[in-house]
Amino acid sequence: MLKLRALEPEDLEQLYAMENNTDDWDYSSMNAPFSHYALRDYIANQHCDLTVDQQVRLVVCDDKNEQQVIGLADIFNFDVRHRRAEIGLIIGKTFRNCGYATEATKLLVEYARNTCLLEQIYAFIPEVNKASCRVFDKNGFNRVSILKNWFRNANSFSDSIIFQLFLKKA
């Protein structure tokens, strides 16, 4: 079982390693590494409040061992007027293909619904990232559009699927 928690100063090295893993940059908008200083400053100064920071970064961890960082979950591009935000998730390489992404996405959906009080969330997933597409499909997201040549990977481009989920209370 997993849980989401706030970033702690002790997470700095794992955050640094995950954020600066260039193998995963093809699936994101990253194009430059973060310094230890920038990440330390982010951890120290975040308010963990979507309305203040316009984003929330959470640690995905084992619910019995909070120091075991399994991944990172983000809510960002928050639009206060329309009560929507983009989400992102990365699972550490050693924890992939174990069902953690599906469980973490479910937790992130509940957090967005019940804590952030969002009306909808969305994600841009490279079409070539079949594992992530399956995770969003399993969590009830709708495939609403395809953006052609949206992500650049090495010497080519790949399409992006926009996944959307409305967060009405069950």
Side-chain angles (χ1 to χ4, degrees):
M1 296 269 307
L2 301 178
K3 70 182 269 185
L4 300 175
R5 66 164 172 79
L7 280 168
E8 298 288 351
E10 296 78 24
D11 298 323
L12 179 63
E13 288 307 318
Q14 289 174 301
L15 180 63
Y16 181 84
M18 286 181 147
E19 289 289 358
N20 292 320
N21 180 356
T22 57
D23 292 343
D24 294 327
W25 287 7
D26 286 348
Y27 302 118
S28 72
S29 58
M30 289 288 299
N31 62 6
F34 284 107
S35 68
H36 278 93
Y37 176 82
L39 293 172
R40 189 178 310 111
D41 185 62
Y42 175 77
I43 292 170
N45 293 306
Q46 69 173 338
H47 296 93
C48 296
D49 183 336
L50 186 60
T51 57
V52 173
D53 297 327
Q54 301 297 296
Q55 67 176 8
V56 174
R57 161 77 44 96
L58 300 164
V59 172
V60 178
C61 62
D62 185 298
D63 70 340
K64 300 209 182 343
N65 178 7
E66 289 191 8
Q67 301 312 310
Q68 181 66 63
V69 177
I70 291 169
L72 301 170
D74 294 312
I75 299 177
F76 58 104
N77 288 338
F78 172 59
D79 185 315
V80 67
R81 180 174 183 212
H82 301 293
R83 304 300 302 166
R84 66 178 174 238
E86 187 173 349
I87 65 168
L89 177 72
I90 186 159
I91 300 296
K93 283 191 178 223
T94 58
F95 299 105
R96 293 179 184 169
N97 301 310
C98 299
Y100 291 130
T102 299
E103 185 179 348
T105 301
K106 180 181 270 188
L107 292 172
L108 191 57
V109 166
E110 290 305 311
Y111 184 86
R113 175 185 291 128
N114 299 326
T115 303
C116 300
L117 305 175
L118 296 175
E119 293 291 321
Q120 61 178 294
I121 52 178
Y122 60 93
F124 293 83
I125 306 297
E127 191 171 41
V128 297
N129 190 343
K130 302 296 185 196
S132 288
C133 290
R134 282 192 302 275
V135 165
F136 282 86
D137 287 334
K138 284 181 189 175
N139 277 286
F141 283 75
N142 294 308
R143 296 176 181 225
V144 295
S145 188
I146 295 178
L147 299 170
K148 297 294 185 184
N149 294 332
W150 197 254
F151 290 103
R152 186 167 191 269
N153 332 40
N155 297 319
S156 65
F157 285 85
S158 65
D159 296 346
S160 174
I161 300 172
I162 302 174
F163 286 86
Q164 181 183 35
L165 181 68
F166 291 95
L167 299 172
K168 295 185 175 156
K169 291 249 184 206

